[in-house]
């Protein structure tokens, strides 16, 4: 069954909605964006996060030292790396116990990447839908992101067959996470796999 990551959590209400909707991963953005949260805010929010939900930190060309500091503070289980990431940098993060998502934007996934998960996205928070038919199959744990919402997620899952799907603005209303949209997104993402 496909797993779901809800990204860009910023408020206590977002945490409650993620818990109730049954997300598998919760994303906290530590890079400059409208969804940015500080380490202190992320740690405060996570006190009420269901412990079964994995915590993902989103970074853009961030230093390995800072990512490790956030990990050691207990704020993340997984680092999602946008921008340039070398195999040595990925290995350094993995060596301390972090799982790593390497993000590939609008281009073919490098199946030789040492990352634990490979993500294809239309661009950092652009909200644009990828051409799903052009996404090659890779024999790796693959995450699909980019322009997903409750209305198109079923089709995306059927066409791409990703292991994990990732959504942020697609489950928002007026710039804030919408609990109903989150619930519908997860329901529609997972229902294709019910036999």
């Amino acid at each position: 069954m496909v797993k779901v990551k809800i990204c860009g959590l910023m408020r206590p209400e977002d945490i409650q909605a993620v818990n109730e909707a049954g997300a598998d991963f919760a994303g906290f953005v530590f890079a400059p964006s409208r969804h940015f949260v500080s380490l202190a805010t992320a740690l405060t929010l996570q006190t009420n996060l269901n412990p079964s939900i994995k915590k993902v930190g989103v970074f853009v060309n961030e230093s390995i030292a800072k990512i490790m500091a956030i990990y050691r503070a207990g704020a993340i289980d997984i680092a999602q790396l946008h921008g340039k990431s070398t195999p040595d940098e990925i290995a350094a993060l993995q060596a301390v116990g972090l799982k790593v998502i390497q993000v590939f934007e609008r281009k073919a996934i490098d199946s030789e990447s040492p990352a634990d998960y490979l993500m294809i996205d239309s661009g950092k928070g652009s909200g644009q839908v990828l051409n799903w038919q052009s996404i090659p199959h890779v024999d790796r744990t693959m995450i699909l992101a980019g322009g997903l919402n409750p209305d198109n997620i079923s089709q995306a899952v059927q066409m791409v067959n990703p292991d994990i799907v990732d959504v942020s603005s697609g489950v928002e209303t007026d710039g804030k996470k919408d609990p109903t949209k989150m619930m519908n997104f997860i329901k529609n993402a997972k229902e294709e796999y019910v036999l």
Side-chain angles (χ1 to χ4, degrees), residues 152-171:
N152 67 15
I153 187 57
S154 292
Q155 184 184 8
V157 168
Q158 285 180 315
M159 290 183 68
V160 181
N161 193 28
D163 300 284
I164 303 165
V165 291
D166 182 8
V167 65
S168 183
S169 58
V171 290

Side-chain angles (χ1 to χ4, degrees), residues 84 118 150 156 177:
K84 294 183 175 154
L118 307 181
K177 291 290 182 282

Side-chain angles (χ1 to χ4, degrees), residues 12 31 81 105 116 126 128 135 164:
L81 306 180
E105 295 174 7
D116 302 279
S126 71
Q128 295 180 337
I135 298 173
I164 303 165

